[in-house]
């Protein structure tokens, strides 16, 4: 059953280091953002909504393509950064399961690893606010274990076992056929899966550990083992990946879904 108050707790984990996330972690998502905007054909005149918009970098990149942008995130502190980056955009704090926009308001909706296997009901609201014929583009983690950069997510497993189990359930939409089935169940047509480029790059293990610690899953691990233990584990794991004269690099499988609302 959906807990209508759960979204208010997101800022505790994701907002506590909003500036670190915006400057150290989110820039690594640029490949993902640009690829999905290209697939969706985002351009002049499109009104686009980014769900779980975080610190608003995807909105900035959509605006460069000529889109008129709106965003929503559950973290007030991330929204503050997103508004600073996008002074002309309509960026709001709120619940993606209860979007504060009218029916048929947007030409396109994106969500970059914001809608999970544990939050599929958000797709009902996304469908509602899309105009007939409107496009949707979502990304989710794919096959993490087979990714060369899987090491970079390993510290998340320091969370308590129930939290780790929930993380596994969250990424379920990346499994073969899973995302397609859910999108179709919520009324989307022409659903297709695309490969999305994703790679984090960091100057050194300490920068990587600081960037990782700014995320929500890291906060769950820190709650379980403490800040010092989390940082030490992250740095130790990263040291094993050092390459002379090259940045730390973690390529992780990300799946994209494209679909439309029938006209």
């Amino acid at each position: 059953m959906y807990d209508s108050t759960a979204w208010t707790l997101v800022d505790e984990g994701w907002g506590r280091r909003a500036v670190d996330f915006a400057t150290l972690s989110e820039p690594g998502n640029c490949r993902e953002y640009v690829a999905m905007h290209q697939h969706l054909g985002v351009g002049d005149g499109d009104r686009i909504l980014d769900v779980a918009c975080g610190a608003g970098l995807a909105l900035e990149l959509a605006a460069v393509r000529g889109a008129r942008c709106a965003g929503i995130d559950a973290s007030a502190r991330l929204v503050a950064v997103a508004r600073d980056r996008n002074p002309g955009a309509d960026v709001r704090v709120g619940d993606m399961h209860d979007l504060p926009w009218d029916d048929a308001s947007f030409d396109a909706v994106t969500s970059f690893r914001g809608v999970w296997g544990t939050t599929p009901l958000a797709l009902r609201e996304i469908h509602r606010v899309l105009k007939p014929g409107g496009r949707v583009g979502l990304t989710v983690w794919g096959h993490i274990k087979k990714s060369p950069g899987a090491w970079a997510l390993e510290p998340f497993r320091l969370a308590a076992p129930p939290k780790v189990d929930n993380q596994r359930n969250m990424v379920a939409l990346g499994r073969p056929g899973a995302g397609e089935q859910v999108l179709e169940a919520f009324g989307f047509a022409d659903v297709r899966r695309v490969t999305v480029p994703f790679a984090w790059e960091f100057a050194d293990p300490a920068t990587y550990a600081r960037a990782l610690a700014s995320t929500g899953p890291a906060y769950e691990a820190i709650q379980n083992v403490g800040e010092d233990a989390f940082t030490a584990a992250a740095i130790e794991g990263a040291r094993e990946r050092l390459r002379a004269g090259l940045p730390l690099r973690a390529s992780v499988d990300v799946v994209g879904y494209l679909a439309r609302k029938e006209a």
Side-chain angles (χ1 to χ4, degrees):
M1 182 178 293
Y2 169 62
D3 180 354
S4 62
T5 65
W7 73 272
T8 61
L9 304 176
V10 170
D11 188 65
E12 181 180 355
W14 281 99
R16 76 194 205 290
R17 294 185 178 174
V19 172
D20 277 6
F21 174 79
T23 58
L24 299 178
S25 179
E26 192 183 28
N29 303 347
C30 278
R31 298 172 182 84
E32 176 185 5
Y33 298 162
V34 170
M36 291 301 288
H37 289 158
Q38 180 70 21
H39 280 300
L40 286 170
V42 173
D44 287 340
D46 276 336
R47 190 172 185 216
I48 187 169
L49 171 66
D50 191 32
V51 174
C53 67
L57 183 56
L59 294 176
E60 276 195 273
L61 295 174
V64 169
R65 298 176 66 97
R68 294 175 294 129
C69 298
I72 189 168
D73 199 274
S75 168
R77 287 175 283 188
L78 284 176
V79 164
V81 180
R83 287 172 174 165
D84 185 64
R85 287 173 163 176
N86 300 275
D90 178 12
V91 187
R92 309 188 192 186
V93 179
D95 182 4
M96 63 183 176
H97 295 87
D98 186 19
L99 297 175
W101 288 279
D102 293 336
D103 296 356
S105 291
F106 297 98
D107 300 291
V109 176
T110 55
S111 188
F112 298 97
R113 288 175 289 121
V115 176
W116 298 102
T118 52
T119 57
L121 290 177
L123 292 169
R124 181 179 298 159
E125 279 291 276
I126 289 173
H127 189 275
R128 179 184 66 79
V129 301
L130 270 175
K131 296 177 181 178
R135 301 100 71 199
V136 62
L138 309 175
T139 63
V140 295
W141 290 122
H143 203 319
I144 294 174
K145 289 183 178 180
K146 289 190 175 180
S147 300
W151 64 269
L153 303 177
E154 190 65 22
F156 294 162
R157 296 174 60 84
L158 295 172
K163 297 288 188 180
V164 174
D165 288 342
N166 188 60
Q167 290 171 15
R168 291 194 191 98
N169 293 332
M170 288 175 67
V171 301
L173 286 183
R175 296 170 186 160
E180 293 92 335
Q181 183 178 8
V182 171
L183 281 159
E184 289 169 358
F186 283 96
F188 290 98
D190 299 332
V191 181
R192 64 188 180 98
R193 174 185 290 231
V194 295
T195 299
V196 178
F198 180 89
W200 275 330
E201 291 180 321
F202 304 99
D204 51 59
T207 304
Y208 153 73
R210 182 176 172 186
L212 199 69
S214 69
T215 67
Y219 178 64
E220 293 179 342
I222 289 167
Q223 283 181 305
N224 190 43
V225 301
E227 187 90 38
D228 291 345
F230 178 85
T231 300
I235 289 175
E236 181 180 356
R239 281 177 177 156
E240 297 174 3
R241 305 289 170 168
L242 287 172
R243 303 171 299 164
L246 296 172
L248 282 165
R249 182 178 173 91
S251 298
V252 184
D253 184 39
V254 169
V255 171
Y257 291 109
L258 303 168
R260 65 176 179 86
K261 180 177 178 176
E262 289 189 306

